[in-house]
Amino acid sequence: MASRLLGAISACFFMSIAQSAQSAIAPLQIRLGGAAYYDPNLNITWAADSNINGLMDWNAANTWAANLTISGVSDWRLPSADVNGDGAVVDCNGGGVTGCADNEMGFLYWEEGITTINPGPFSDVRSGVYWIATESSSDLSRAWALGFNMGQLATNSKTGSNYAWAVHDGDVSAVPVPAAAWLFGTAMVGMLGVARRMR
């Protein structure tokens, strides 16, 4: 009986350790020689400079991000507040909010602790408001934004002037080798094999 009780207690202990390890926030990883940081928690890469282009309206911010190239990497965008596309925006206020990873900028602020006071590896993190790519579902003249002075999430008029912070889907250092390169490499190996046989 005592061994069963000890086994049950041990199992509970190891399960609690496993759960706390799963909920731990993984650190950001440097990319592009310090021009970006990969976030393994969200599987996105953030531009290191949080204020590359200054204040702009929402449409200009989206256009700017879509045309941005950092260290030869393109396809940047503004952060999303509805990653799973279910139409619900999660307010991460206070941290520890279920589903907060669905709001990329809210997660960065509340879960990863990136603020104007604690910018982590990022430069020029402003205390003002940052645009989010997600539009308001109740009023298409407004879009979501996050204030970095206190982490408040709200909708703003798209014509207003806010900051823009570029993100990229996935890990920018994990660029797949193009199919043509694989084909060329295979052909070279084949040619070396033929040349070897001819000797």
Side-chain angles (χ1 to χ4, degrees):
M1 181 72 158
S3 64
R4 282 186 179 169
L5 181 60
L6 183 59
I9 292 170
S10 296
C12 289
F13 174 73
F14 286 114
M15 284 176 58
S16 68
I17 288 175
Q19 284 180 338
S20 66
Q22 285 178 345
S23 64
I25 301 296
L28 299 167
Q29 302 165 11
I30 191 168
R31 295 294 186 262
L32 305 177
Y37 288 89
Y38 174 62
D39 186 339
N41 305 293
L42 300 174
N43 190 30
I44 58 174
T45 302
W46 294 89
D49 185 343
S50 69
N51 181 36
I52 299 172
N53 208 41
L55 294 167
M56 60 191 104
D57 68 39
W58 185 80
N59 288 313
N62 279 287
T63 301
W64 163 79
N67 293 306
L68 180 65
T69 299
I70 300 174
S71 298
V73 177
S74 56
D75 296 324
W76 296 86
R77 62 174 175 80
L78 294 182
S80 174
D82 185 17
V83 175
N84 65 14
D86 67 356
V89 173
V90 177
D91 189 346
C92 303
N93 194 346
V97 176
T98 303
C100 179
D102 194 40
N103 180 345
E104 293 168 334
M105 192 161 277
F107 190 91
L108 182 74
Y109 186 95
W110 288 107
E111 300 300 329
E112 296 179 306
I114 301 300
T115 65
T116 52
I117 297 167
N118 179 31
F122 300 109
S123 63
D124 209 11
V125 178
R126 300 295 178 107
S127 64
V129 177
Y130 281 83
W131 284 120
I132 295 174
T134 309
E135 294 177 278
S136 167
S137 59
S138 60
D139 182 353
L140 294 181
S141 71
R142 302 178 71 78
W144 289 97
L146 188 117
F148 261 74
N149 52 345
M150 293 174 52
Q152 67 275 28
L153 181 71
T155 61
N156 282 221
S157 169
K158 290 180 181 178
T159 59
S161 291
N162 293 327
Y163 297 107
W165 195 338
V167 298
H168 191 286
D169 290 322
D171 187 346
V172 295
S173 73
V175 178
V177 177
W182 282 111
L183 212 56
F184 178 75
T186 306
M188 289 302 290
V189 169
M191 289 176 69
L192 288 172
V194 170
R196 216 169 156 199
R197 283 190 193 146
M198 291 179 76
R199 283 190 204 163

